[in-house]
Amino acid sequence: ARRGQGPRALGAGAAIASTTASEHGGPGRRPFDVEMMLAVARFLNGSASPQVLSLRAWAGRGLVRADYIDSGGAATPLAEFFEVTAAGVRRLAPYPNRGAGGGWSSGGGVAAAAARPARLDLLVAGLEWLRADVAPDEETHRRLLHPDAEIFGARGLEEVLALKRRLLTKTPAYAVPAVAVDEVNRVVTCEFECLLEGMEGRGTDFVFFDSDLR
């Protein structure tokens, strides 16, 4: 992953039930917004759904909204809500074009797009990267960092990891309520609020990937 940045960038990137207790800060901790969106992205990855355009989480309510790309001019908004709990992901009030069996029954190009399994590998990688910033996770950073990544003057894998160790001193380090994905340009964009002492603020972050999702 390589980065662009808004006013204050995050510093570089299964359902809930399948993640480890350490990833969620121990039993009883409510999942972070980015963890909820990651769970939904994994839930939808490879499923019969239109391609996801963006996700937004309401951590206090345990809800995530998925907005889909409209490839066929549907009359109603392409969006669905999901409930995310420790037990996993549950689809709520299916989108009107989704039939009782979960298939997409109408909507022209929407149904055609949904007939092809959604590939959300880029979105999943971006959310994994962002989650590793929210709850510092050097192993994930190391796996996803591009060898030529450059952040705040640090260049290359080891320098960037050292920078993250210095900066990411609390959990959660950021709130990330929404993400969007651009498959053509291989970039995941997020809104964020920095919670680190002395660096508080809000902004937009851009996480760029190559064809190997690094």
Side-chain angles (χ1 to χ4, degrees), residues 1-5 9-13 129 133 141 145-146 148-157 159-161 163-164 166-167 205:
R2 311 183 197 210
R3 311 185 57 79
Q5 59 194 53
L10 288 179
W129 176 264
D133 279 340
H141 281 144
L145 264 172
H146 191 279
D148 297 325
E150 185 171 358
I151 303 166
F152 299 142
R155 181 160 189 167
L157 191 146
E159 284 192 18
V160 170
L161 289 176
L163 176 66
K164 286 185 169 295
R166 292 196 301 272
L167 291 180
D205 195 42

Side-chain angles (χ1 to χ4, degrees), residues 103-139:
W104 292 75
S105 58
S106 63
V110 176
R116 300 185 296 272
R119 295 309 313 167
L120 304 180
D121 298 329
L122 174 62
L123 178 59
V124 168
L127 286 164
E128 288 178 339
W129 176 264
L130 293 169
R131 190 205 167 279
D133 279 340
V134 170
D137 177 357
E138 184 169 319
E139 181 178 347

Side-chain angles (χ1 to χ4, degrees), residues 7-204:
R8 294 176 186 267
L10 288 179
I16 290 290
S18 70
T19 56
T20 65
S22 62
E23 282 185 300
H24 289 143
R29 193 221 346 129
R30 177 179 290 165
F32 298 134
D33 42 18
V34 70
E35 292 171 333
M36 293 169 52
M37 292 186 290
L38 177 56
V40 170
R42 287 172 171 167
F43 176 82
L44 291 172
N45 197 15
S47 70
S49 288
Q51 197 69 22
V52 172
L53 175 66
S54 63
L55 297 173
R56 179 171 290 275
W58 290 269
R61 298 183 178 182
L63 296 177
V64 172
R65 186 185 72 208
D67 292 286
Y68 300 112
I69 294 173
D70 178 2
S71 60
T76 52
L78 289 174
E80 289 189 296
F81 281 87
F82 299 84
E83 181 183 48
V84 183
T85 67
V89 176
R90 182 170 70 93
R91 179 178 278 116
L92 301 176
Y95 169 75
N97 281 359
R98 191 185 290 278
W104 292 75
S105 58
S106 63
V110 176
R116 300 185 296 272
R119 295 309 313 167
L120 304 180
D121 298 329
L122 174 62
L123 178 59
V124 168
L127 286 164
E128 288 178 339
W129 176 264
L130 293 169
R131 190 205 167 279
D133 279 340
V134 170
D137 177 357
E138 184 169 319
E139 181 178 347
T140 297
H141 281 144
R142 184 178 293 276
R143 172 169 60 85
L144 293 174
L145 264 172
H146 191 279
D148 297 325
E150 185 171 358
I151 303 166
F152 299 142
R155 181 160 189 167
L157 191 146
E158 295 302 333
E159 284 192 18
V160 170
L161 289 176
L163 176 66
K164 286 185 169 295
R165 284 193 294 270
R166 292 196 301 272
L167 291 180
L168 302 179
T169 56
K170 64 179 290 187
T171 299
Y174 301 92
V176 181
V179 298
V181 60
D182 179 346
E183 294 281 350
V184 174
N185 295 300
R186 291 198 293 266
V187 59
V188 173
T189 307
C190 76
E191 301 173 17
F192 71 90
E193 179 182 2
C194 181
L195 306 176
L196 298 169
E197 186 175 354
M199 299 179 63
E200 295 88 348
R202 299 173 184 265
T204 303

